[in-house]
Amino acid sequence: MPSDLKRVSRALLSVSDKTGLVDFARALSERGIELVSTGGTHKALREAGLPVKDVSDLTGFPEMMDGRVKTLHPAVHGGLLGIRGNPEHQAAMLAHGIQPIDLLVVNLYPFEATVAAGKPYDDCIENIDIGGPAMIRAAAKNHGDVAVVVDGADYAAVLDDLSQHKGAVTYTLRRRLAQKAYARTAAYDAAISNWFANELGDATPPFLALGGSIAEVMRYGENPHQSAAFYRTPEQRPGVSTARQVQGKQLSYNNINDTDAAYEAVAEFAPERSAAIVIVKHANPCGVAEGATLVEAYEKALRCDPVSAFGGIVAMNRTLDAQAAKAITEIFTEVIIAPDASEEAIAIVAAKKNLRLLLAGGLPDPRQAGLTLRTVAGGFLAQSRDNAVVDAMDLKVVTKRAPSERELADLRFAFRVAKHVKSNAIVYAKDLATVGIGAGQMSRVDSSRIAAWKAAEAAKAANLPETLAKGSVVASDAFFPFADGLLAAAEAGATAVIQPGGSMRDDEVIKAADEAGLAMVFTGHRHFRH
């Protein structure tokens, strides 16, 4: 076991992000710690009036090849890797004039930011750091003697240790910093390898690395006995990960999961065409609608299932305005997420101090490629994001009767929603609003019956004389394997159907639709969401 306390006499600093650097380096220098640095970091410290050596003073070599070669040298890596209590290591260091480096401060070239900014291929390549990860890994391996800092957020912890222990750093802190260092280089390499795979068009590379940075630690996971945390990946997709939380309690694990589901669903509706609202409960939409205004869309969406909407998540595709904010805050809501909000709307929501308001800064693109993951025992499943959109599908009329223009608009609307409902998914819609949703059932006919029952219950809640499903259309996320599910929709009052098609009994289902007077279109695309 290494000695608990290790005195810091020499520090090597080489950072891309120089936030807080000068103050940290000054505090080190004031403690008599010798500073060694490279390139732009060296320049910044010299300009701040700090005594600092150039790394070439250690190596005897100048920086070369546009800075690609500067720290890859035994004088640097020997100073980081040499075990202080090992006589052979010490003899080698003495024989070759290698000076020990007790503290390494490195953050890496901004590869992730370069990719996110859409920079050209060659720029991305030039922002792949080589010397930095090599030094970080060396220092972290030798954490028994060396402290390594890869995050400016840890500057204060190092200075606290130095202050409390008369210029030494504890083994506890060195080990914690080493873990973080390896996690950082792993995430960095993951970003690089995944970028390369994307550039090559390789959807299933032989090795797939994952990396993320912690956004916050949750109080618990899905249940109180489960620990959880939220991590951000390099993907800059508008949503929970990009959102500014204006107010409200800390988001829970379930809040984040449900809010992501709601925001991805509402992004299916182009804001320039209409306002749209999605209300989600337990990761499933319980009300979705389009309208001329957000408040109109909200009232239509709420009518679909006002019971489930209580304590739900509300997502919208336009800037939250005061009228919509007032309507939404009339019932208990957990989270509101929008691209932005007016100051008046923010003030209205502020009256509900526990209600979380998230402003995401934009909408995710439903057509954008990406990766989705799910863990299984001993591994994980990775697949491309379901970025199929109904507007790009060639809808094929398969029944004797073709849908009317109104039915066709509602069919497209319903299929957009079905994409975001757990399978087996059945969605009834009328006038660009859901009127009944059946989700997550083991049989499609059960989902159809539940959706019809929901439509009848919604009508009762609104004091209407007949089910909301009367005159509606119905969407199914996958084909009807038998005619029973389709006939259940017809019995509920649906007049048109949209489904992928592709069943061995398609002819039987089409015949049943014709006999029931239904119009039906096939999309050729399935939207399973398990």
Side-chain angles (χ1 to χ4, degrees):
M1 173 69 70
S3 166
D4 182 61
L5 294 175
K6 290 292 180 180
R7 178 170 295 280
V8 177
S9 299
R10 182 174 295 104
L12 172 56
L13 305 94
S14 180
V15 296
S16 175
D17 180 359
K18 296 175 178 58
T19 305
L21 168 70
V22 170
D23 288 342
F24 180 60
R26 180 174 288 112
L28 296 178
S29 183
E30 288 172 353
R31 294 185 176 280
I33 296 171
E34 182 181 69
L35 306 180
V36 182
S37 192
T38 65
T41 306
H42 180 266
K43 180 182 177 183
L45 297 181
R46 286 292 296 270
E47 289 177 349
L50 295 176
V52 56
K53 290 184 176 180
D54 192 275
V55 73
S56 61
D57 295 334
L58 298 186
T59 65
F61 278 83
E63 291 186 18
M64 61 183 73
M65 302 177 187
D66 298 319
R68 285 188 170 200
V69 179
K70 52 190 173 186
T71 59
L72 298 170
H73 192 279
V76 172
H77 287 272
L80 293 170
L81 284 166
I83 299 173
R84 311 302 193 254
N86 185 309
E88 292 183 5
H89 287 206
Q90 291 302 300
M93 294 174 75
L94 184 62
H96 297 284
I98 297 174
Q99 302 176 19
I101 299 168
D102 310 306
L103 172 63
L104 176 72
V105 183
V106 172
N107 57 55
L108 304 173
Y109 291 174
F111 175 82
E112 297 101 327
T114 304
V115 172
K119 297 295 184 180
Y121 182 92
D122 287 346
D123 286 359
C124 295
I125 292 295
E126 284 307 309
N127 276 279
I128 296 175
D129 204 326
I130 302 301
M135 289 192 294
I136 288 170
R137 291 176 61 82
K141 177 174 181 175
N142 200 26
H143 65 273
D145 290 310
V146 180
V148 54
V149 177
V150 297
D151 182 356
D154 291 316
Y155 290 168
V158 171
L159 293 178
D160 284 346
D161 249 24
L162 292 171
S163 178
Q164 292 179 31
H165 302 288
K166 299 179 180 179
V169 178
T170 62
Y171 180 63
T172 299
L173 179 59
R174 296 196 307 274
R175 190 162 67 161
R176 180 171 68 79
L177 292 173
Q179 184 280 327
K180 191 172 189 177
Y182 281 121
R184 175 63 188 118
T185 57
Y188 193 72
D189 285 341
I192 295 167
S193 63
N194 292 334
W195 172 77
F196 262 118
N198 184 65
E199 289 292 310
L200 293 167
D202 188 351
T204 55
F207 295 94
L208 181 61
L210 304 177
S213 59
I214 196 162
E216 62 179 310
V217 177
M218 322 260 73
R219 287 191 297 129
Y220 54 82
E222 279 187 287
N223 300 291
H225 63 278
Q226 294 172 269
S227 60
F230 176 39
Y231 291 84
R232 290 190 178 94
T233 68
E235 184 185 27
Q236 294 296 303
R237 186 170 176 82
V240 182
S241 67
T242 66
R244 173 173 67 95
Q245 184 168 349
V246 176
Q247 70 155 65
K249 297 187 296 183
Q250 180 191 21
L251 290 163
S252 70
Y253 178 98
N254 292 329
N255 287 154
I256 290 176
N257 187 57
D258 291 351
T259 303
D260 178 70
Y263 208 55
E264 287 289 332
V266 84
E268 298 284 342
F269 302 94
E272 61 272 15
R273 186 184 66 234
S274 65
I277 291 283
V278 173
I279 306 173
V280 159
K281 191 69 170 291
H282 298 304
N284 270 308
C286 61
V288 183
E290 291 183 77
T293 63
L294 285 174
V295 71
E296 179 188 330
Y298 176 72
E299 289 168 351
K300 290 167 67 177
L302 183 63
R303 186 178 67 167
C304 177
D305 191 349
V307 175
S308 296
F310 187 84
I313 312 294
V314 178
M316 61 206 66
N317 67 346
R318 289 181 178 176
T319 296
L320 175 65
D321 56 47
Q323 193 177 12
K326 187 175 184 301
I328 293 168
T329 55
E330 287 176 356
I331 69 167
F332 172 54
T333 301
E334 288 276 8
V335 181
I336 299 172
I337 183 168
D340 203 349
S342 70
E343 290 302 319
E344 190 177 359
I346 291 173
I348 291 169
V349 176
K352 305 287 185 179
K353 65 178 183 178
N354 290 330
L355 172 56
R356 295 94 162 173
L357 174 60
L358 303 181
L359 304 182
L363 285 170
D365 181 358
R367 300 171 186 256
Q368 183 181 345
L371 202 63
T372 63
L373 306 170
R374 175 167 294 178
T375 60
V376 296
F380 59 87
L381 294 167
Q383 66 172 347
S384 59
R385 180 182 288 121
D386 183 358
N387 62 351
V389 294
V390 69
D391 290 335
M393 297 175 190
D394 183 17
L395 304 186
K396 179 183 178 184
V397 178
V398 295
T399 48
K400 294 175 182 177
R401 183 173 79 81
S404 67
E405 286 301 313
R406 182 195 67 79
E407 287 175 324
L408 192 58
D410 280 341
L411 288 170
R412 288 196 174 98
F413 170 90
F415 205 63
R416 286 189 191 97
V417 177
K419 175 181 174 180
H420 295 272
V421 177
K422 297 294 180 70
S423 300
N424 288 310
I426 295 291
V427 176
Y428 288 80
K430 184 178 180 181
D431 298 328
L432 304 181
T434 56
V435 296
I437 298 174
Q441 297 304 305
M442 289 71 74
S443 74
R444 193 158 299 278
V445 67
D446 284 346
S447 285
S448 191
R449 288 167 178 158
I450 288 171
W453 174 77
K454 287 277 191 180
E457 289 297 299
K460 290 178 185 177
N463 294 315
L464 296 175
E466 59 183 5
T467 174
L468 296 183
K470 185 70 176 294
S472 68
V473 305
V474 65
S476 174
D477 63 343
F479 62 65
F480 285 101
F482 301 97
D484 52 1
L486 178 137
L487 293 175
E491 290 169 9
T495 63
V497 178
I498 185 169
Q499 60 138 318
S503 168
M504 61 186 296
R505 294 185 176 85
D506 273 350
D507 289 343
E508 176 186 324
V509 174
I510 292 169
K511 180 181 178 183
D514 282 332
E515 290 174 353
L518 297 172
M520 185 160 64
V521 298
F522 284 180
T523 66
H525 285 78
R526 190 178 73 184
H527 277 318
F528 268 165
R529 185 179 181 85
H530 288 107

